[in-house]
Amino acid sequence: MDGEESYQRLTSKQTTSIINIDLNHKFSKIFSLDAGYKNTFNNYNFLFETQNDQNNSNKDVRNLLYTYLNFTPEGKLKSKLGLAVENDRLKTNEQTNINYSFQPYFSMHYSFNNDLNISLNLKSNSHYPNADQLNPHPITIDRYSRYSGNPNLNFSTKYTGSLTFSLLK
């Protein structure tokens, strides 16, 4: 492949569809449950131009299922505890990557009075490689630069925590 000029260009528009279903059920004045499902579908085609033109079709399907329990007693405390499970399936001409991610969530808010509030939040989200990042074929950007992806990349999950104090609203 050395000395061979190659690049990728988008040959068709990306097709995207999103389905989102949210449910809320109140058990009592202080307990409620949020649950839902989200599906995202992306379809896009690349033409990989070399001596033997190759058309790459990429399909990325993500499914997210989540549930959160809310505790909101009358008074100063509010909290939310939950879990989301996400599945990502990226299919290219050469391989299929399937990943599962567990994403916990916790939030608590306490109001001492109108002038002092404390919030604690713990959450997570996942990032998945796209088809370009997984493409193992070297791509010439210009005569000094080449790019190739790593087909062994995995997803990453980021966990974030925060503690917030609010004074004098």
Side-chain angles (χ1 to χ4, degrees):
M1 192 125 193
D2 287 331
E4 184 177 323
E5 290 292 319
S6 61
Y7 64 94
Q8 282 191 340
R9 65 180 169 90
L10 194 60
T11 57
S12 68
K13 289 188 177 180
Q14 180 173 335
T15 305
T16 302
S17 65
I18 297 174
I19 297 171
N20 198 9
I21 300 170
D22 293 313
L23 304 169
N24 184 292
H25 179 72
K26 199 164 197 158
F27 294 108
S28 66
K29 287 183 178 182
I30 61 171
F31 285 106
S32 67
L33 182 73
D34 297 326
Y37 169 77
K38 182 176 183 179
N39 171 277
T40 305
F41 172 79
N42 291 310
N43 185 25
Y44 41 97
N45 294 316
F46 287 96
L47 179 62
F48 183 65
E49 293 188 355
T50 60
Q51 291 174 338
N52 305 333
D53 289 348
Q54 178 184 355
N55 191 7
N56 289 329
S57 177
N58 303 297
K59 291 180 174 48
D60 189 9
V61 179
R62 293 184 187 174
N63 296 293
L64 176 70
L65 185 63
Y66 62 89
T67 184
Y68 301 107
L69 179 64
N70 298 296
F71 176 65
T72 53
E74 290 184 28
K76 302 178 178 199
L77 179 68
K78 294 180 186 177
S79 63
K80 186 175 187 177
L81 177 66
L83 178 68
V85 179
E86 188 171 27
N87 164 256
D88 177 63
R89 184 174 190 263
L90 177 63
K91 183 176 173 129
T92 65
N93 285 2
E94 298 177 357
Q95 70 184 44
T96 300
N97 286 17
I98 299 174
N99 297 298
Y100 290 92
S101 170
F102 297 94
Q103 303 168 8
Y105 179 88
F106 175 74
S107 174
M108 185 172 16
H109 179 81
Y110 187 79
S111 296
F112 288 98
N113 54 44
N114 288 341
D115 295 331
L116 178 60
N117 297 302
I118 295 177
S119 296
L120 173 66
N121 293 300
L122 303 169
K123 60 183 178 176
S124 61
N125 59 12
S126 295
H127 300 278
Y128 302 92
N130 59 39
D132 281 353
Q133 294 169 321
L134 296 172
N135 181 5
H137 303 291
I139 300 166
T140 302
I141 299 169
D142 57 32
R143 64 184 192 164
Y144 300 111
S145 304
R146 289 176 63 142
Y147 169 84
S148 68
N150 180 353
N152 299 316
L153 285 177
N154 288 321
F155 72 96
S156 64
T157 301
K158 179 179 174 182
Y159 298 93
T160 307
S162 66
L163 181 62
T164 307
F165 294 92
S166 301
L167 298 171
L168 302 173
K169 276 190 171 181

